[in-house]
């Protein structure tokens, strides 16, 4: 299931808006609505999150594009 901020989201608040494309991939755009927060998850066919959008207090959508890749080692970690 989709979670917003670690809290389970009721099925009625998650709405599939459309199919779209990002980073040369077809994605499903899913919007979570509730408690005054609107989030959009752009998820590809493999289940990877490709974009996250958040409606700001001024009503503008802010977005963060994500690119899968290796996680770099943290300094001081074995």
């Amino acid at each position: 299931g989709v979670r917003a901020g670690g809290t389970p989201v009721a099925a009625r608040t998650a709405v599939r808006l459309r199919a779209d494309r990002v980073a040369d991939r077809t994605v499903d755009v899913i919007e979570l609505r509730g408690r005054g927060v609107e989030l959009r998850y752009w998820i590809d066919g493999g289940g990877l999150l490709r974009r996250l959008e958040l409606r700001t207090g001024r009503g503008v959508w802010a977005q963060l594009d994500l690119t899968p890749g290796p996680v770099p080692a943290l300094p001081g970690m074995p």
Side-chain angles (χ1 to χ4, degrees):
V2 178
R3 292 176 179 258
T7 304
V9 176
R12 69 179 182 274
T13 63
V15 177
R16 181 183 182 274
L17 297 179
R18 66 183 180 276
D20 211 319
R21 290 191 63 80
V22 67
D24 294 325
R25 302 264 183 183
T26 299
V27 296
D28 287 314
V29 181
I30 309 297
E31 184 172 281
L32 301 182
R33 302 172 184 158
R35 297 187 182 156
V37 176
E38 290 180 66
L39 293 169
R40 289 182 179 167
Y41 292 86
W42 296 50
I43 304 169
D44 71 15
L48 291 176
L49 180 62
R50 295 295 181 149
R51 177 177 287 166
L52 178 63
E53 292 181 314
L54 169 69
R55 187 179 297 271
T56 68
R58 294 182 182 241
V60 177
W61 286 100
Q63 74 182 40
L64 174 65
D65 286 343
L66 303 163
T67 304
V71 177
L74 295 173
M77 298 298 290

